[in-house]
Amino acid sequence: ENAMERTNTAARSRPAPAHSDPLPGRPEALGDQLRWVHEILRRDLAAVRDLAGRVADDDVTTVWRDLQDLQVNAPLFRLRTTCLAVCGTLHSHHEGEDDTLFPAIRSAAPHLAALLDRLAADHALIRALLDQIEALAPELDRTSARTALVDALDTLATHLAEHLAVEEDGLVSLLNSWQAWPDPLEGELT
């Protein structure tokens, strides 16, 4: 046996290295992963709503002073950046569902077509609310914009909570039966 054969034999007898999950705490079952992502979205939206409420009640002079000092913990700066980040995450999440997940579900489970139509319609409504919130974010130096943001976030939270519950109730058990997510380039299960 030469050195090359010994190396190959040793490599075959070693256990495969454990791969660490880049997202610790993420469940293995696909439907549970969807529910996990939804929990993150719920948590982040709640944080933005809380921040918007606190900023709406704050003294604008104090907020401007903080911004002028370039303190990244200033309420308006944090609200703008967090709000825009949450909106971007929700946009991306729903685009992924619309473009990849829902077509794969339509193919695999045609009996869920009415549910998928409802979820897609929800996405359109939520997208419009996100666009409204994103348009308000740069205007938070105005009291009226802060008040409108609080109202828009409350409306978003109401619609999103119902949407996520319907999606989870209708899709988690199916997704938990899948072994892999759909291929984003093909919209089919891999």
Side-chain angles (χ1 to χ4, degrees):
E1 178 178 58
N2 66 31
M4 181 68 109
E5 290 171 338
R6 281 192 303 275
T7 302
N8 288 340
T9 301
R12 283 192 302 269
S13 64
R14 262 187 262 138
H19 296 285
S20 63
D21 188 340
L23 301 170
R26 180 179 60 177
E28 288 187 32
L30 300 182
D32 293 338
Q33 286 181 25
L34 178 71
R35 187 177 284 131
W36 178 73
V37 168
H38 286 176
E39 285 303 317
I40 291 169
L41 294 173
R42 287 181 184 104
R43 180 202 65 210
D44 290 352
L45 178 58
V48 169
R49 290 176 67 210
D50 177 62
L51 186 58
R54 287 189 285 136
V55 169
D57 295 335
D58 201 2
D59 174 41
V60 175
T61 304
T62 303
V63 172
W64 269 114
R65 187 191 69 232
D66 289 345
L67 283 173
Q68 290 168 347
D69 291 339
L70 297 176
Q71 296 175 358
V72 293
N73 287 326
L76 286 179
F77 179 82
R78 287 180 54 207
L79 178 57
R80 279 184 183 121
T81 57
T82 304
C83 197
L84 292 172
V86 169
C87 288
T89 299
L90 280 166
H91 276 306
S92 295
H93 175 73
H94 285 163
E95 287 169 5
E97 288 179 339
D98 289 340
D99 296 345
T100 304
L101 183 62
F102 291 176
I105 293 172
R106 281 185 196 280
S107 176
H111 64 282
L112 294 176
L115 172 63
L116 295 173
D117 291 343
R118 176 186 174 175
L119 294 174
D122 286 350
H123 287 181
L125 172 66
I126 291 167
R127 184 173 30 260
L129 291 167
L130 293 171
D131 291 345
Q132 177 186 1
I133 291 165
E134 289 170 328
L136 289 167
E139 305 297 324
L140 293 178
D141 54 319
R142 295 187 354 258
T143 302
S144 60
R146 292 193 303 271
T147 302
L149 180 66
V150 170
D151 293 343
L153 287 168
D154 288 345
T155 302
L156 174 63
T158 299
H159 288 291
L160 189 62
E162 180 182 345
H163 167 77
L164 297 177
V166 168
E167 188 171 275
E168 290 169 1
D169 289 346
L171 300 181
V172 166
S173 63
L174 171 71
L175 294 176
N176 279 344
S177 71
W178 290 5
Q179 297 302 309
W181 288 107
D183 182 324
L185 299 176
E186 297 178 23
E188 298 175 3
L189 295 176
T190 55

